[in-house]
Amino acid sequence: MIRVYVCSCFGVTEKQVKEHAEAGACTPRQIASACKAGTDCGSCVRRIQAILGRGNCPRRELLDQGMPALASETEDLPEAVELPEAA
């Protein structure tokens, strides 16, 4: 089996990036959160963007609305708390 490395800093393969994308990661930042790819020297970020493309992402609509797209991002969000106005 031939492994095509996307991120040599962390040993992340193209297959791993695609698996994270299938799990809902739609942006290089979400890929970085999942496996650290792109967080060291940054030379792989363009390759990650190319793998992700601008294709159909089942959660892209959420991202476009500024909402979290991954389940792990929504689990840690606190309930909305109304703060008193400053005097």
Side-chain angles (χ1 to χ4, degrees):
M1 174 182 8
I2 297 175
R3 290 186 180 161
V4 178
Y5 287 94
V6 173
C7 177
S8 56
C9 294
F10 294 104
V12 179
T13 64
E14 186 172 307
K15 180 182 177 193
Q16 289 172 303
V17 171
K18 288 178 180 179
E19 288 170 353
H20 291 303
E22 289 170 8
C26 297
T27 66
R29 183 173 289 180
Q30 290 174 339
I31 295 293
S33 294
C35 63
K36 293 187 176 182
T39 61
D40 194 26
C41 78
S43 66
C44 61
V45 174
R46 287 184 186 249
R47 178 71 182 130
I48 292 168
Q49 288 172 326
I51 292 169
L52 296 174
R54 290 296 297 172
N56 253 354
C57 177
R59 300 172 192 221
R60 186 164 309 280
E61 188 173 311
L62 293 174
L63 289 173
D64 291 343
Q65 296 172 5
M67 300 172 66
L70 298 178
S72 62
E73 291 177 339
T74 57
E75 291 170 1
D76 296 334
L77 291 176
E79 291 296 319
V81 177
E82 201 166 312
L83 298 175
E85 288 186 33

